[in-house]
Amino acid sequence: MPHDVVTFGEAMVRLAPQNDLRLEQARALDVTVGGGELNVAVGVARLGFKSAWVSRLPYNALGRMVLGKVREQGVDAAHVGFAKEGRCGLYFLEQGASPRAAAVLYDRADSAISKIKPGEVDWRAVLDGVQFFHVSGITPALSKSAADTTQEALAAARAAGCTVSYDLNYRAKLWTPAESRACQEPLMQYVDLLITTEEDTRVVFGIEAPKGADENFEKLDSAGYRDVAEQLVERFKFKHVAITLRQNKSVWFNDWWGLFYDGAERKFYEAPKLAAEIVDRVGAGDSFAAGLLSALLIKPGDYDHAIRFAVAASGLKHSIPGDFNIITRAEVETLMKGGGLRIVR
């Protein structure tokens, strides 16, 4: 049976100090696995659909650990190759607390996936019969050859008739806004659904909400981001745009919601705000993407349901440690109906 969703990108080993210590204080580190496109594949599998992840790993204990975690979550890893060169990227997560923000330290240079080259993946076979192909702006940022392979994959997905989902996912520690724009603007011709944030479209494409958020995103007006979505569709001819919205009341308490714009009908859908008490916000955007793609598989064309489902799924992620969104579809649907904070027993 063909997969519902195929994703392509990097995975890293995540190392985080215990008990909210800073890295300089740490004497032990919690070890987990994560990475943008892998997080999406895991989220889709957790919500009941068939997903596959395409990547490259080193043939060593870290690579084998990542592969084991992929399979553990029900994601097809048949197209994950062991590379002859390169390493497993690492990242260190230091949790914050107001007024100190959380921080990430990357150690990912020369990773196995950054060495991938066009022609190494049989995209025609990988994407045959697949409904959605998903990638993000992290993958082309890893290296020139990874960017070229991303372009190859996107073209193959378009040729295969997949709906192409692309999360802009700007990472300032990987490249500059100018580098990101020069690389990614040509890729947008292949994209059907763009997923982005309040600030990424401003940083990468120079499209800014006329009235959106203050400098620290403590106050945010969704009306300005409707204009952003319209400008994105006008410039790049996307079929759909989804924008996640985060209002930072404190490091550990945010309002979280999202917009969906149907370019064909010129119609907006906005999910209600969720008040999120944050245990771990890393992977929330990936969980939004997974929820959105899953919802479009559950009820194709029902964009109101899709944005509400995506926000609920990603809202739950804020309460879960680690990159992966360890939830069920029933939990998402319960939250969409109003949820409830009494103990479940």
Side-chain angles (χ1 to χ4, degrees), residues 15-18 20-29 91-95 100 103-106:
L15 301 161
Q18 298 174 341
D20 296 327
L21 294 173
R22 305 208 71 180
L23 276 170
E24 294 175 49
Q25 299 172 289
R27 296 295 177 269
L29 298 168
Y91 85 91
F92 298 82
L93 174 66
E94 187 178 87
Q95 298 287 13
R100 177 176 56 84
V104 168
L105 174 66
Y106 290 120

Side-chain angles (χ1 to χ4, degrees), residues 48 270 299 303:
E270 184 169 350
K299 294 185 178 182
Y303 304 130

Side-chain angles (χ1 to χ4, degrees), residues 82-255:
F82 282 112
K84 294 180 180 179
E85 57 180 339
R87 55 186 285 256
C88 189
L90 309 176
Y91 85 91
F92 298 82
L93 174 66
E94 187 178 87
Q95 298 287 13
S98 294
R100 177 176 56 84
V104 168
L105 174 66
Y106 290 120
D107 179 17
R108 70 202 300 180
D110 298 318
S111 63
I113 185 64
S114 74
K115 308 292 185 182
I116 197 167
K117 296 179 177 63
E120 289 186 9
V121 178
D122 184 352
W123 292 110
R124 184 173 180 179
V126 171
L127 298 170
D128 184 35
V130 169
Q131 295 199 51
F132 288 97
F133 175 68
H134 178 84
V135 70
S136 87
I138 295 173
T139 306
L142 298 175
S143 67
K144 175 63 165 62
S145 63
D148 291 342
T149 307
T150 302
Q151 190 277 335
E152 176 189 58
L154 289 168
R158 173 58 61 87
C162 305
T163 297
V164 175
S165 165
Y166 192 102
D167 188 339
L168 203 53
N169 240 350
Y170 177 72
R171 294 292 183 268
K173 292 184 178 181
L174 291 177
W175 52 4
T176 67
E179 290 169 335
S180 177
R181 183 173 185 174
C183 176
Q184 291 186 97
E185 278 198 336
L187 302 180
M188 295 300 103
Q189 64 181 300
Y190 304 107
V191 176
D192 300 299
L193 166 61
L194 182 76
I195 300 171
T196 185
T197 69
E198 313 97 327
E199 54 187 328
D200 284 358
T201 45
R202 174 182 58 81
V203 173
V204 178
F205 296 136
I207 298 176
E208 189 166 3
K211 56 172 186 174
D214 61 7
E215 184 177 356
N216 296 315
F217 291 91
E218 294 174 358
K219 296 180 180 179
L220 192 150
D221 183 352
S222 64
Y225 296 98
R226 294 185 175 219
D227 183 76
V228 168
E230 289 178 325
Q231 289 189 59
L232 284 165
V233 169
E234 179 66 24
R235 184 187 296 186
F236 297 109
K237 311 306 178 187
F238 301 128
K239 293 179 181 177
H240 309 295
V241 171
I243 302 177
T244 59
L245 302 169
R246 181 187 298 279
Q247 188 166 280
N248 297 326
K249 294 186 174 181
S250 76
V251 169
W252 294 114
F253 187 79
N254 293 175
D255 286 333

Side-chain angles (χ1 to χ4, degrees), residues 33-50:
V33 169
E37 294 83 0
L38 174 57
N39 297 340
V40 174
V42 168
V44 168
R46 297 284 315 185
L47 292 167
F49 296 96
K50 297 180 184 299

Side-chain angles (χ1 to χ4, degrees), residues 55-100:
S55 192
R56 292 292 179 268
L57 294 169
Y59 189 71
N60 59 28
L62 292 180
R64 293 191 295 273
M65 180 181 74
V66 171
L67 193 61
K69 296 299 182 184
V70 174
R71 290 169 171 164
E72 181 181 288
Q73 292 301 325
V75 175
D76 187 345
H79 301 292
V80 177
F82 282 112
K84 294 180 180 179
E85 57 180 339
R87 55 186 285 256
C88 189
L90 309 176
Y91 85 91
F92 298 82
L93 174 66
E94 187 178 87
Q95 298 287 13
S98 294
R100 177 176 56 84

